[in-house]
């Protein structure tokens, strides 16, 4: 059994990853089964550096707030800002505290120094401005979009003034009230003002699209790309707030699906600009339908990876990462009858496994689903193995 699996294992490097794929992907998605482990992030950094040097990749996109990510991108491309501030304000989910993320930003800045814009590396967050307890105010994205259009489009084409937006938006803490996640009546998402903002946001995005030739010529393609991000984020947030106010049984499925859709539209926009490494939790990048239980209620939605894969086909590739141990979180050696247990028996510390070559080794074995004693780690689902392009296995995640 171990010998058969060993034949399917390869070194973690671009050449072996590309060798598993039918075509060179525009988006190479590398998943992680848990957040915050620098061993996994160091491996990601190594792979990105090699992709830059060997495959001419120019962008890395991570599971972080897309608006905050602009702060990091400005720093790595032009040196704007101070590193400590960039790490604090440029990442969501607490990811700015990671030493590995700091090293990534420093390396990208050093690489870009003195290079023309066409050869520079780019950084992107692709998550919406969303946290577990709620969503951001749409103010930043909506006013930035309006400001861009005001600068480059005739005033009589704009559907509203900046003052109208400010009046309808009101205080930001109305939007960010954490009580709204559990109590729809606390959400402002279906108030008359919010519904008017949704219509105005749609009109602003339609104007941005209609004026594309003029806007690219008058400003720059880069500024136009950024304005599109503002538009996607504004409409996505307003839709998310609308469904936070919903009281139907489908409320949570709608919210989870909307987050995945916001991620997917950001990834598709990133793919337009050239090949990119995408890094996020396995659950966001998988091709399979996602599911969870909220009390007795089962909730299902299509992940961002499933949506992007449907659009890009073979130009989307997904490598799922599996872990052996996270001993500092109480996750010890995996049971031998699980996928992780079979891979843990091999001597190497990290490697990529070809799922097609792994299948014969499992022909007479039905792997058990591993159960994690720690809520922060999601073991590999054996039913999802066939829909991955490769499994990256890391034997032990050491304390960061």
């Amino acid at each position: 059994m171990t010998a058969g699996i060993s034949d399917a294992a390869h070194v973690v490097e671009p050449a072996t990853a590309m060798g598993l794929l039918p075509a060179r992907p525009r988006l190479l998605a590398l998943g992680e089964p848990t957040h915050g482990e620098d061993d996994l992030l160091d491996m990601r950094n190594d792979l990105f550096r090699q992709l830059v040097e060997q495959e001419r990749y120019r962008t890395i996109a991570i599971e972080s707030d897309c608006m905050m990510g602009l702060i990091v991108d400005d720093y790595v491309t032009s040196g704007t800002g101070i590193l400590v501030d960039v790490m604090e304000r440029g990442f969501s989910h607490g990811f700015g505290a990671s030493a590995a993320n700091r090293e990534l930003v420093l390396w990208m800045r050093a690489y870009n120094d003195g290079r023309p814009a066409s050869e520079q590396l780019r950084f992107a967050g692709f998550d919406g401005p969303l946290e577990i307890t709620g969503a951001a105010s749409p103010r930043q994205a909506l006013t930035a979009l309006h400001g861009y259009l005001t600068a480059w489009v005739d005033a009589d084409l704009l559907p509203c003034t900046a003052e109208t937006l400010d009046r309808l938006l009101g205080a930001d803490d109305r939007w960010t009230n954490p009580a709204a996640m559990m109590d729809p009546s606390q959400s402002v998402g279906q108030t008359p003002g919010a519904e008017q903002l949704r219509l105005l946001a749609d009109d602003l995005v339609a104007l941005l699209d209609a004026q594309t030739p003029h806007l690219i010529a008058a400003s720059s393609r880069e500024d136009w790309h950024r304005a599109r991000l503002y538009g996607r984020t504004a409409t996505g947030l307003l839709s998310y707030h609308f469904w936070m106010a919903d009281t139907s049984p489908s409320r949570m499925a709608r919210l989870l699906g909307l987050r995945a859709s916001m991620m997917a539209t950001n990834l598709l926009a990133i793919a337009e600009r050239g090949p990119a490494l995408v890094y996020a939790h396995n659950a966001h990048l998988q091709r399979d339908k996602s599911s969870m239980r909220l009390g007795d209620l089962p909730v299902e939605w299509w992940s961002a990876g499933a949506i992007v894969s449907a659009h890009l086909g073979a130009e989307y590739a997904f490598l799922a990462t599996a872990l052996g141990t996270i001993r500092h979180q109480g996750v010890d050696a995996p049971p031998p009858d699980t996928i992780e247990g079979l891979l843990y028996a091999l001597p190497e510390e990290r490697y990529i496994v070809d799922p097609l070559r792994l299948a014969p080794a499992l022909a007479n074995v039905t792997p058990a689903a591993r159960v994690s004693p720690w809520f922060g780690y999601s073991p590999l689902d054996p039913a999802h193995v066939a829909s991955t392009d490769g499994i990256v296995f890391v034997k032990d995640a050491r304390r960061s």
Side-chain angles (χ1 to χ4, degrees):
M1 174 66 68
T2 301
I5 296 175
S6 181
D7 292 339
H10 310 278
V11 177
V12 181
E13 60 186 16
T16 51
M18 297 297 175
L20 302 179
L21 308 175
R24 185 174 187 263
R26 276 195 276 169
L27 295 179
L28 176 60
L30 175 63
E32 64 176 2
T34 185
H35 290 319
E37 295 298 330
D38 274 358
D39 272 353
L40 300 184
L41 298 176
D42 288 338
M43 179 182 68
R44 174 206 65 187
N45 291 353
D46 289 343
L47 182 61
F48 181 58
R49 281 192 288 265
Q50 293 176 65
L51 286 167
V52 168
E53 294 162 358
Q54 299 172 26
E55 299 289 336
R56 298 187 61 79
Y57 273 52
R58 288 292 177 265
T59 300
I60 185 166
I62 75 166
E63 182 191 338
S64 185
D65 184 326
C66 57
M67 296 291 288
M68 297 175 78
L70 297 175
I71 297 171
V72 183
D73 190 54
D74 285 343
Y75 179 80
V76 300
T77 55
S78 63
T80 302
I82 300 170
L83 179 63
V84 64
D85 185 55
V86 169
M87 298 307 298
E88 181 177 343
R89 297 193 305 113
F91 292 84
S92 61
H93 306 83
F95 293 159
S98 161
N101 281 334
R102 182 176 182 274
E103 288 303 313
L104 172 68
V105 171
L106 284 171
W107 179 78
M108 292 178 71
R109 176 69 202 119
Y111 182 96
N112 285 342
D113 192 25
R115 294 180 187 267
S118 61
E119 297 178 11
Q120 288 191 340
L121 306 181
R122 306 301 299 267
F123 178 94
F126 72 90
D127 201 354
L130 309 169
E131 293 286 355
I132 298 300
T133 56
S137 164
R139 176 182 299 278
Q140 181 187 7
L142 198 53
T143 57
L145 174 61
H146 188 275
Y148 172 78
L149 290 170
T150 299
W152 300 109
V153 172
D154 291 341
D156 59 354
L157 291 175
L158 294 167
C160 65
T161 65
E163 291 73 22
T164 297
L165 288 182
D166 186 62
R167 175 178 57 80
L168 292 171
L169 285 162
D172 285 345
D173 58 8
R174 297 168 60 239
W175 299 92
T176 57
N177 179 9
M181 178 52 75
M182 302 306 296
D183 181 0
S185 70
Q186 297 291 313
S187 171
V188 298
Q190 293 187 18
T191 60
E195 298 207 20
Q196 190 173 351
L197 282 170
R198 289 185 78 188
L199 294 173
L200 291 173
D202 287 344
D203 284 344
L204 288 168
V205 170
L207 179 60
L208 176 69
D209 185 58
Q211 292 289 317
T212 291
H214 163 68
L215 292 170
I216 292 175
S219 60
S220 69
R221 184 171 291 273
E222 181 56 39
D223 288 345
W224 173 76
H225 273 297
R226 187 164 289 202
R228 291 173 70 208
L229 172 61
Y230 298 150
R232 293 192 302 272
T233 305
T235 55
L237 277 173
L238 286 163
S239 183
Y240 195 91
H241 281 288
F242 178 90
W243 287 105
M244 283 184 74
D246 182 51
T247 57
S248 74
S250 63
R251 175 179 183 264
M252 191 54 65
R254 287 272 193 180
L255 293 177
L256 291 166
L258 278 168
R259 183 189 180 195
S261 180
M262 290 177 72
M263 286 182 166
T265 56
N266 283 332
L267 287 175
L268 290 169
I270 289 165
E272 292 176 12
R273 308 180 68 174
L277 176 67
V278 179
Y279 189 79
H281 198 283
N282 286 329
H284 295 308
L285 301 178
Q286 67 188 26
R287 291 188 175 92
D288 297 275
K289 205 167 191 178
S290 299
S291 63
M292 64 184 296
R293 296 193 71 85
L294 294 174
D296 294 330
L297 180 68
V299 180
E300 291 188 336
W301 70 99
W302 288 107
S303 70
I307 298 168
V308 172
S309 180
H311 281 276
L312 296 185
E315 291 187 300
Y316 177 78
F318 170 47
L319 306 176
T321 297
L323 265 171
T325 72
I326 321 172
R327 297 188 192 279
H328 52 278
Q329 298 290 4
V331 181
D332 293 322
D337 61 344
T338 63
I339 292 283
E340 288 90 347
L342 294 169
L343 298 176
Y344 194 75
L346 298 182
E348 293 84 0
E349 287 299 313
R350 60 172 71 163
Y351 46 87
I352 298 178
V353 179
D354 181 350
L356 294 178
R357 297 185 64 187
L358 181 62
L362 301 176
N364 299 315
V365 178
T366 302
R370 187 182 190 185
V371 177
S372 172
W374 175 50
F375 73 94
Y377 163 62
S378 299
L380 190 65
D381 186 337
H384 292 176
V385 170
S387 61
T388 67
D389 296 297
I391 301 169
V392 176
F393 185 74
V394 176
K395 195 162 194 176
D396 301 291
R398 298 158 297 183
R399 183 184 296 274
S400 300

